[in-house]
Structures are given as C-alpha cells and as structure tokens.
Amino acid sequence: MNEDLVYLDNSACTRMDDRVLDAMKPYFFDTFAVATSEFAYTMGVEAKESLEKAREDIASALGCNSEELIFTSGGTESSNLAIKGIAEAKKNDGQHIIVSEIEDFPVLNSAKALEKKGFEVTYLDVDEDGFIDIKQLKDIIGENTILVSIQHANQEIGTLQDISRIGKICQDENVVFHSDASHTFTRVPLSVEDIPVDMVTISGHTIHGPRGIGGLFMREGTPLEKQMDGGFQENNLRAGVENIPGAVGFAKAVDLVSQDENERLEKMRDRLIDGLMDEVPHVTLNGPHEKRTPQNANLTFHYVEGESMTLHLDMQGFAVSTGSACFSRSLEASHVITGIGGDHERAHGSVRFTFGRYNEMDDVIATIEAVSETVAKLREISPLGEED
Amino acid sequence: MNEDLVYLDNSACTRMDDRVLDAMKPYFFDTFAVATSEFAYTMGVEAKESLEKAREDIASALGCNSEELIFTSGGTESSNLAIKGIAEAKKNDGQHIIVSEIEDFPVLNSAKALEKKGFEVTYLDVDEDGFIDIKQLKDIIGENTILVSIQHANQEIGTLQDISRIGKICQDENVVFHSDASHTFTRVPLSVEDIPVDMVTISGHTIHGPRGIGGLFMREGTPLEKQMDGGFQENNLRAGVENIPGAVGFAKAVDLVSQDENERLEKMRDRLIDGLMDEVPHVTLNGPHEKRTPQNANLTFHYVEGESMTLHLDMQGFAVSTGSACFSRSLEASHVITGIGGDHERAHGSVRFTFGRYNEMDDVIATIEAVSETVAKLREISPLGEED
C-alpha cells in the first residue's frame, strides 16, 4: 500500500491489524490440526480448545453463550444460512418472509432465491433516511410469516435501525428475527441479552480481522436447516474443516476494537460531513445525521458522477466508493439510494466514505479539501452542472 | 508444535508452508481492497489482478481456463455447490444422481440432502480395494441420470479411481461428471484437458496452503445454480468478499508441490506399509497396493482398537488418525472400511498415516518401531487379542 494513500473504503474491506496476524500465526505453523482430531492426539485437543476459546470470546462480545455461535466463511454465508436455513426449517409453518428493500445483497438475494422457490417475500419501504416503518412491519406480519430480516445498519448509508423495537414485535408475533450486523458488530452496542433478536450475522474483515471468516448467532432453540453438508462440525450446523487461524484472528480483531476507537471514528465522520456540507454547494447527506454507524459518511454531490469522483480522487491518493451503476456491477444504480427516494442522478453522484483504525483526522481535513476541489473541477466540465 | 512430534495426519490438515504466509502477507497489509473496487481506485485494480493471477496459476495446474475456476471457502463448499448446483440446474432433465458409497462426507451428505428433497440417489458399491465397478456404473446410468460424482481418491484409504474411464462413460451418456480431488490435486496428475470430467473439487489446506479456501473447476457450458447468494463475485456463481490472501496463498501452495516431493512421499508410504506388514502380525492393508495416493497408508491392526492406538501413539509423539467410531463423531465405524467389506472390528482397528512435506524417512522408521511395540503391548492387555 502506498503510504500516502488515504483509504476510506473500510466498510468494503479493512487493512488487517498486525496483531491479528500475530494471533493467527501459531495456528498456521504450530497447532494446525483439525479440531475434530481432538479424540486422537494432543494437538487436536489444543486445536479444539483454541477454536472454542475464540468462539467464547466472540460470543461474550455479543452477549450470547458460545453454543449459540457458529463460524462460517463470512457474513455472506451467515446471512444465506440464516435466511435459507430458517425458511427450510419452518416452511410448514408458513412461507412469508419480510426484509427491508435496502438490505445488503446476501439477505436481499437469498430472499429473492427463496421467492423463486415459491416463498412470498415483502420488501419493506424505507423513509428518506433509510428507516423502516415499524407500524408497517407490524401490519404486514401475518399468520404465514416465518421470518423477518432487517439489518442493524445499512452498508452504504449507515442507517441504524431500531432493532430493539423490531425484535420486540417479532417476539410478540412469534416470528424469527434475523439481523445483519456486519457493519455494526463491535462498532455499535449490540447485546443479544438485551435485544430480542434470534439470529445475527457478524463478520471479521470489516474490523481489521481476517477475510474468509464470519459468524452466525442463533438463539438457543431457533430451528435451522443445515446448508453446508458434510461433517459434524459447528454443532452439526456447518460442515467443513474449521478455519481455526481465521476464528482466532476474528476473536483478536473483536478484542482490539475499543469504545475510544469508535468515538474517534465518529469524530472523523462528523468532521467530514460538516466540512463537506459547509464547503461544497449542492450536497445531500445520504442517511441520517444521528443514528448512523460511527464509520460511515455518504454524500451526494449533485451534478457530478460518482465514478468520475472516485477516479479523480484516486489519482490524488484517496480511495472511496460510489453507489453509481458500473461500480456495483449490477448495471443498476444503488438500490439503497433509490430506496431512500433518491433518483438516479442522486445515486450516480453519491460517494461513500468509511473510516477505520488507520485513518487520522489529518486525512479527513485532506479529504475535505480534495473533494471540494474535485467537485468544483468536475462541475466546471460536467454537462450536468448548473454552473456550465 | 512440539518439534519432536511426528505428524502423520496430513490428509486432515497440513502445517502451512512459511512461503505461503510470505505470499499472503501483502494482501493482509498492503493490497487489502475488495476486487470489486477495481472500478473505483488503483488498489482495487491491484487486488483484482492478484486474484486473477492466483486463479490463472491454479487453473493452469489443472489444465483449464481461468474462467472455468471459481474460488470457494474450501473443498466442502465446492462439493456442496457442485452436487446441489447441478441438481437444481438440471432437475427438469432428470432427478437421478450416482455417487460411490465411500465418498467423503461433503459429497455423500449433499447427495443425502437431495434425496430428502425427492432426488433419487444410487450409492455404488466398491470392491475390497475401494474401486467402483465401471460396468455397474454404465448399467445404472439411465434416462433420468443427471450427475455422477466419483472421487478421484479416497480420503481414508487413498484408492485412486479410474476417472478417465468414468469420465468417458459419462461423456458418452451425456451426464455431468463431478470428481472430488481434494486428496489428489497436485499430488497425482490430473489435467482436465485429458480427462473428460466436468467439475472438480480442489482444496488448499491439504497441500500446506491456507485453510478457508478451495476451488471448483467447472467446464465451460456446465449448468450450475448458484448456492451462495449476494454479490456478483466469481462470475456470479459464488457471492462474498473475495478471500484474496487465501487465493494467493492457495496458488503459492500449488506452486510449491513438486514431482520430487510426491515421489518422496510415495517412498515413505511404501516403506511404512512394507515395514509394518513385515514386522507386525495380523495386519491388513486397507486400500490397494498400487493406485493409491502417494501420501496415504491405512492399515488395520487386528485385535486392537484404533482409538487406543492413536492415544498410545500420541503419548509417544506420533499423531495419526483412525476410522473408529468415536473418532468420526458420527457414532458409526468408518463407512469407507465397512464399504470395502470390512467388518466393524476391521474398522475399529484401522489406522491412517498420511505424509506431508515436513515428514522425513527417519520419522517413518521411528513410526514403524513405535507402532510395532504399541500393537504388541495392546494385544497383551486386549480382551480381543488372540494372544490373551
């Protein structure tokens, strides 16, 4: 990595922390047995214990028992397992599923895959800040509803849903509630002791942990049909040789996140939002001012293309992302920005800045300056620009 | 790891090669972006290029185009995707699937999961060395058959099936042929240019590569229903943030295996088998003398329990595995040993020794001695022992 690069795409992937690798190393080179060999030899016992220690540490950060947490290959797999596993396990009780229209793709496309198989899916509208209408949710839950999946926070605009209230409603209606917390776990308080949520997706690479590892919290007694068949690993809910270095690295990454760090991210986020809204005309904040993840800022710079922005910023050493069409490869503008009522122009001009451990306030100041100049330049030459 | 430990369970998991970690490091700390950010900034382009370079290197070792190889979280996921993905894609053409009765659990239990959903599965018998009957396969393929999945080599007894002939039959009958090559990839020649196989499962951690990464070869034009929904990664066949460090480490692990190494493993294998059969009475070799993987030896020491063997050997610093009941956690004796006609006693007394890069011929000599002594001691005290 170029030392001068200001990397502001920490929600897509983060730089791994050196201490995470240090924690993983013994499991590459010293204790490399599979955990299921615990019945055969000492190294297997040590491997199994390390896996269970990692599980306990992460479970404790979530407020659950370690028996309620299984490891997967990442947030995508966790959400697939949750949505499809519940649907298959409960299909005789009903075939109606509710998700929000701005869920991340693993939830959204798992729901769509189930729709093709005959399930009925309701995609809840969100308001201009990305919040679902709790009353609408309550009205839509019916006899046939088996699952509600509403994310803890949005991947693009950082909106924090009120999962306590959502969970309470699902509990009252006896419907399983899953929440994708890939973008909040350790960053925003989330204890399943306090919040009546049945399943939670968590992920390691968003918090400077390793890639290829994630987790799924499943409250005791939640029915689930296994999706990955093979051996009896992970309480017979997810087959495959255990990724012990990954699990240990994930636990270390969880341990390294602190309240201080989250407050630092929040300060950078607010400074960036305030700075850009002050200095650049025709800017819209996507997502709410309050109730957003500490690490996320997302703004639309009207009359410019997000893709031009990312490319020009890249040339100046800033890595950011956009909700524009080509970027997402789906050939559609961000479903999140259009979901909150934005038109395609607003989606195309949106830029997401996400903060992590390796960003400094100086980066933020530099980013404000670079973005202001870039927007001004692009508007000068843009056919969309009203300044033309 | 205890420096003195003789680790002979390399088929379950191998010690990672230090050079694999060296290859992975830049993707933890320097080029850590997701590959889909290639449209936004330079680091994304570099990430994407590294992923594609890893894919090309592994594809070239398999003899396929890089477009025909997708990355997964491991061999288990690859086999699940192959079996279920084909079954869903071709269910209107037929619902009959053929596997061998000694397949590894990802294939076997994926087939069983499909059986529950209404597919018909034939579990082919194997002979006393673990070979399927090619004529029987030919007879059983019918109008309704959509998929044949026969492993390249067996996970417990190392038997190498004649996948060229099997592939030819499937090709003639116009049936998709999948083969689990987790235990042969790079160890036994396998080029999909020469062998008419449509899908191949490969894995990284069996050849001193990282855990949490595997691959699936899919011949161009093979229909497949995506199993992991989410983003458009991996040619829109497998969603999830790309595990680039894992892919790069996998490619490095592939590169590090040499013909010389495989011949070295073969020599250790043969020395162990010959030594034990010479020095220990009442021993049966499980699997064939010829046509077995270079790294696998599996023997039944009659009148002793495999579990007692593993524990006593562990105390002396030897890590091996057994096909005995408790070890497998399935509460059943090895389906492989019973599959080749062995009774439960033969399964319970079976011990698997698998060799890897970090074993030396001296280890083999020491193992022969330790096993001989242990078997003699156990038979002295064993209620099963005829010497009693």
Side-chain angles (χ1 to χ4, degrees):
Chain A
M1 178 183 172
N2 181 339
E3 286 297 316
D4 297 329
L5 178 72
V6 178
Y7 183 78
L8 293 172
D9 199 13
N10 292 283
S11 130
C13 233
T14 48
R15 179 194 186 281
M16 202 164 87
D17 194 301
D18 300 76
R19 293 166 291 182
V20 168
L21 178 58
D22 290 343
M24 293 168 78
K25 268 186 191 166
Y27 304 94
F28 292 138
F29 303 128
D30 302 317
T31 309
F32 48 80
V34 292
T36 40
S37 66
E38 64 171 324
F39 300 112
Y41 43 81
T42 312
M43 199 211 288
V45 176
E46 289 162 3
K48 174 75 174 170
E49 284 172 357
S50 312
L51 178 68
E52 295 314 321
K53 174 72 168 59
R55 194 190 311 278
E56 275 163 34
D57 290 349
I58 299 172
S60 137
L62 253 181
C64 69
N65 297 322
S66 59
E67 294 76 24
E68 296 174 308
L69 179 70
I70 62 170
F71 288 113
T72 67
S73 67
T76 296
E77 186 186 337
S78 297
S79 290
N80 270 262
L81 172 57
I83 308 284
K84 297 172 184 174
I86 288 290
E88 280 186 40
K90 299 202 64 153
K91 63 174 185 278
N92 295 330
D93 297 343
Q95 308 215 354
H96 178 227
I97 292 165
I98 301 172
V99 302
S100 89
E101 61 175 334
I102 62 169
E103 292 296 313
D104 207 351
F105 291 115
V107 167
L108 207 58
N109 289 342
S110 291
K112 284 184 182 162
L114 289 171
E115 222 172 3
K116 276 196 212 161
K117 292 185 177 169
F119 285 83
E120 186 198 342
V121 181
T122 301
Y123 300 91
L124 289 181
D125 295 334
V126 294
D127 70 14
E128 70 278 8
D129 281 333
F131 294 106
I132 66 156
D133 180 341
I134 305 257
K135 204 182 148 297
Q136 192 197 7
L137 169 66
K138 205 167 175 175
D139 291 344
I140 281 172
I141 292 177
E143 279 289 301
N144 200 28
T145 310
I146 51 171
L147 172 68
V148 170
S149 180
I150 306 287
Q151 58 192 184
H152 191 197
N154 186 265
Q155 62 285 357
E156 288 185 38
I157 60 172
T159 309
L160 282 168
Q161 304 288 346
D162 187 348
I163 60 168
S164 278
R165 281 185 64 202
I166 298 168
K168 190 70 182 56
I169 289 169
C170 293
Q171 196 175 37
D172 290 347
E173 302 283 346
N174 199 22
V175 169
V176 174
F177 174 40
H178 166 256
S179 188
D180 176 3
S182 303
H183 297 283
T184 54
F185 180 50
T186 72
R187 292 277 177 228
V188 177
L190 167 61
S191 166
V192 299
E193 270 185 298
D194 305 328
I195 295 172
V197 56
D198 301 299
M199 312 185 84
V200 176
T201 290
I202 59 175
S203 174
H205 71 258
T206 49
I207 48 168
H208 309 287
R211 271 185 274 187
I213 188 87
L216 180 66
F217 157 72
M218 295 179 41
R219 196 174 293 282
E220 203 191 327
T222 310
L224 193 83
E225 188 85 10
K226 191 172 179 176
Q227 299 294 304
M228 191 83 81
D229 289 295
F232 290 78
Q233 294 93 346
E234 298 299 314
N235 235 345
N236 199 18
L237 287 170
R238 199 277 181 187
V241 164
E242 309 88 351
N243 184 351
I244 297 177
V248 169
F250 188 5
K252 185 69 186 177
V254 168
D255 178 53
L256 290 172
V257 176
S258 68
Q259 186 52 29
D260 278 0
E261 176 170 277
N262 292 336
E263 283 165 17
R264 208 173 66 79
L265 300 186
E266 214 163 65
K267 276 184 195 140
M268 291 193 282
R269 174 199 73 186
D270 289 343
R271 180 72 186 84
L272 185 85
I273 292 174
D274 293 345
L276 287 172
M277 297 197 74
D278 280 354
E279 297 195 17
V280 186
H282 310 297
V283 171
T284 305
L285 176 66
N286 297 312
H289 276 275
E290 311 281 322
K291 293 187 190 167
R292 74 186 299 147
T293 50
Q295 73 271 26
N296 175 294
N298 188 315
L299 300 111
T300 290
F301 303 94
H302 296 278
Y303 319 119
V304 299
E305 291 275 347
E307 284 158 58
S308 306
M309 286 284 292
T310 59
L311 295 175
H312 279 83
L313 287 170
D314 179 45
M315 286 188 286
Q316 298 166 71
F318 298 87
V320 299
S321 99
T322 170
S324 189
C326 291
F327 184 72
S328 72
R329 293 183 117 186
S330 64
L331 303 178
E332 287 168 22
S334 159
H335 70 289
V336 176
I337 307 289
T338 54
I340 58 175
D343 55 12
H344 279 228
E345 189 265 338
R346 179 162 162 201
H348 285 308
S350 71
V351 178
R352 182 184 66 182
F353 308 85
T354 43
F355 299 95
R357 181 165 301 151
Y358 301 100
N359 298 124
E360 300 289 344
M361 192 55 92
D362 284 352
D363 298 345
V364 178
I365 312 295
T367 304
I368 295 169
E369 199 174 313
V371 170
S372 306
E373 285 173 17
T374 304
V375 170
K377 255 189 240 167
L378 286 173
R379 282 184 184 159
E380 263 177 45
I381 57 169
S382 163
L384 298 167
E386 55 162 27
E387 281 97 344
D388 277 355
Chain B
M1 179 184 172
N2 181 339
E3 286 296 315
D4 297 328
L5 179 71
V6 178
Y7 183 79
L8 293 172
D9 198 14
N10 291 282
S11 131
C13 234
T14 49
R15 180 193 186 281
M16 203 164 86
D17 194 300
D18 300 76
R19 293 165 290 182
V20 168
L21 178 58
D22 291 341
M24 292 167 78
K25 268 186 190 165
Y27 304 93
F28 293 139
F29 303 128
D30 301 317
T31 309
F32 49 79
V34 292
T36 41
S37 65
E38 64 171 324
F39 300 111
Y41 44 82
T42 312
M43 198 210 288
V45 175
E46 291 163 2
K48 174 74 174 170
E49 284 171 356
S50 313
L51 178 68
E52 296 314 320
K53 174 70 167 58
R55 195 190 311 278
E56 275 164 34
D57 289 349
I58 299 172
S60 137
L62 253 181
C64 68
N65 298 322
S66 59
E67 294 77 26
E68 295 174 309
L69 180 70
I70 62 170
F71 288 113
T72 68
S73 67
T76 295
E77 186 186 337
S78 297
S79 290
N80 270 262
L81 173 56
I83 307 284
K84 296 172 183 173
I86 288 289
E88 279 185 40
K90 299 202 65 155
K91 63 174 185 279
N92 295 331
D93 296 344
Q95 308 215 353
H96 179 228
I97 292 164
I98 301 172
V99 303
S100 89
E101 61 175 333
I102 62 169
E103 292 296 313
D104 207 350
F105 291 115
V107 167
L108 206 58
N109 289 342
S110 291
K112 284 183 183 163
L114 289 171
E115 221 173 3
K116 276 197 211 159
K117 292 186 179 169
F119 285 83
E120 184 198 344
V121 180
T122 301
Y123 302 90
L124 290 181
D125 295 334
V126 294
D127 68 15
E128 70 277 9
D129 281 331
F131 295 106
I132 66 156
D133 179 341
I134 304 257
K135 204 183 149 294
Q136 191 197 7
L137 169 66
K138 205 168 175 173
D139 291 346
I140 281 172
I141 293 176
E143 280 289 300
N144 200 28
T145 310
I146 52 172
L147 172 67
V148 170
S149 180
I150 306 287
Q151 59 192 182
H152 191 198
N154 186 266
Q155 63 284 0
E156 288 185 39
I157 58 173
T159 309
L160 282 167
Q161 303 289 345
D162 187 349
I163 61 169
S164 277
R165 281 184 66 201
I166 298 168
K168 189 71 183 54
I169 290 169
C170 293
Q171 196 175 36
D172 290 347
E173 302 282 347
N174 199 21
V175 169
V176 174
F177 174 40
H178 166 258
S179 188
D180 175 3
S182 302
H183 297 282
T184 54
F185 179 51
T186 73
R187 292 276 177 230
V188 177
L190 166 61
S191 166
V192 298
E193 270 185 299
D194 305 328
I195 295 171
V197 56
D198 301 300
M199 314 186 83
V200 176
T201 291
I202 58 175
S203 175
H205 71 257
T206 49
I207 49 169
H208 309 288
R211 269 184 274 187
I213 188 84
L216 180 66
F217 157 72
M218 296 180 40
R219 195 174 293 281
E220 203 191 326
T222 311
L224 194 83
E225 188 84 11
K226 192 172 178 176
Q227 299 294 303
M228 191 82 81
D229 290 294
F232 290 79
Q233 294 93 346
E234 298 297 316
N235 234 346
N236 198 17
L237 287 169
R238 199 276 181 190
V241 164
E242 308 87 352
N243 184 351
I244 299 178
V248 169
F250 188 5
K252 184 68 185 180
V254 168
D255 178 53
L256 290 172
V257 176
S258 68
Q259 185 53 28
D260 278 0
E261 176 170 276
N262 292 335
E263 284 167 15
R264 210 173 63 81
L265 300 186
E266 215 162 64
K267 277 184 196 138
M268 289 193 283
R269 174 199 72 186
D270 290 341
R271 179 74 187 80
L272 185 85
I273 292 175
D274 293 345
L276 288 172
M277 298 199 72
D278 279 354
E279 297 195 16
V280 186
H282 309 295
V283 170
T284 305
L285 176 65
N286 297 312
H289 276 276
E290 311 282 320
K291 293 188 189 165
R292 73 186 299 146
T293 50
Q295 72 272 27
N296 175 292
N298 189 316
L299 301 111
T300 290
F301 303 93
H302 296 277
Y303 320 118
V304 299
E305 290 276 347
E307 284 158 57
S308 307
M309 286 285 292
T310 59
L311 295 175
H312 278 84
L313 286 170
D314 179 45
M315 286 188 283
Q316 299 166 71
F318 298 85
V320 299
S321 99
T322 170
S324 190
C326 291
F327 185 72
S328 72
R329 290 184 117 184
S330 63
L331 304 180
E332 286 168 24
S334 158
H335 70 289
V336 176
I337 308 288
T338 54
I340 58 174
D343 54 13
H344 280 228
E345 189 266 338
R346 179 164 161 197
H348 285 308
S350 70
V351 177
R352 182 183 67 182
F353 308 84
T354 44
F355 299 95
R357 182 165 301 150
Y358 301 100
N359 297 123
E360 301 289 342
M361 192 55 92
D362 284 351
D363 298 344
V364 178
I365 312 295
T367 304
I368 294 169
E369 199 175 314
V371 170
S372 306
E373 285 173 18
T374 304
V375 170
K377 254 189 243 168
L378 286 171
R379 282 185 183 159
E380 265 175 46
I381 57 168
S382 162
L384 297 167
E386 54 162 27
E387 282 97 344
D388 276 353

